[in-house]
Amino acid sequence: MADADEHEPAGTDESDGVTGSDGVTGSDGADGTSGSLDDTYVAAIQHELVDLPSETTRVGVVRKPTRWFHGAVDENRPELGPPADLLETFRQREEDFKMQGLCEEGAHNAAWDEVGFEDAYRAHLEGSEGAQAALEELESRLEDGESLALVCYENTEKKRCHRTILRDVLSDRRSS
């Protein structure tokens, strides 16, 4: 599910690495360096399926992280998770699609499209003061040379995830 509050235990995805990572770099920081921006999912970290440089700060972007999620990230920014009402609408449609016989990935992606998840999440990022403050902070840290990896639950090899939208938003802000 798209950053749902309850998830299967880590390790249920079978990807072989970073998904959606684009290694985006921004303008040089004050000391002549610039931070990189990547993204991955928690099971990839836990099972060493991702090769993040040791200096990369792993930033969770989930609204209600589990205990085991906290153990895999350095910090969590819940204000960058999708809003609860969007998640609830999404989950319900996903379950409806599963009941109609779609596989998990098919139901996930069909629900994503039907509820307009990307547009709704982008609107949340633009309209939430908390999200705007968190985006500004992460952008500043990247400009100062800190490397960040956005982390949530979804393996984006087969399912869509808000963290890839968030990565794109941060990348766009840095290039403007």
Side-chain angles (χ1 to χ4, degrees), residues 94-166:
E94 183 181 42
E95 287 305 312
D96 293 345
F97 282 123
K98 287 180 187 177
M99 294 298 289
Q100 294 171 18
L102 287 178
C103 68
E104 185 174 336
E105 292 87 5
H108 176 97
N109 293 328
W112 179 282
D113 290 337
E114 188 170 297
V115 303
F117 198 99
E118 181 169 353
D119 291 340
Y121 181 63
R122 285 180 180 272
H124 164 71
L125 292 176
E126 291 174 16
S128 164
E129 288 182 27
Q132 281 294 306
L135 285 168
E136 289 170 15
E137 180 196 332
L138 293 180
E139 184 179 12
S140 176
R141 289 165 64 180
L142 287 163
E143 288 172 3
D144 288 344
E146 186 175 354
S147 292
L148 305 174
L150 305 173
V151 182
C152 80
Y153 296 107
E154 290 303 339
N155 173 353
T156 57
E157 193 170 297
K158 296 181 181 176
K159 295 180 182 178
R160 297 183 196 157
C161 179
H162 78 285
R163 104 177 159 260
T164 58
I165 298 166
L166 180 58

Side-chain angles (χ1 to χ4, degrees), residues 35-105:
S36 65
L37 177 61
D38 294 296
D39 75 285
T40 191
Y41 62 106
V42 68
I45 293 171
Q46 292 172 320
H47 297 283
E48 299 177 1
L49 301 173
V50 60
D51 187 21
L52 294 173
S54 61
E55 69 276 3
T56 300
T57 303
R58 296 167 298 179
V59 181
V61 291
V62 300
R63 189 158 298 284
K64 293 184 178 180
T66 61
R67 252 181 271 135
W68 51 264
F69 185 88
H70 277 297
V73 297
D74 299 307
E75 63 187 73
N76 186 54
R77 301 306 304 256
E79 58 275 17
L80 294 175
D85 59 337
L86 176 58
L87 284 174
E88 184 57 36
T89 301
F90 170 80
R91 278 191 212 113
Q92 184 58 55
R93 287 306 298 142
E94 183 181 42
E95 287 305 312
D96 293 345
F97 282 123
K98 287 180 187 177
M99 294 298 289
Q100 294 171 18
L102 287 178
C103 68
E104 185 174 336
E105 292 87 5

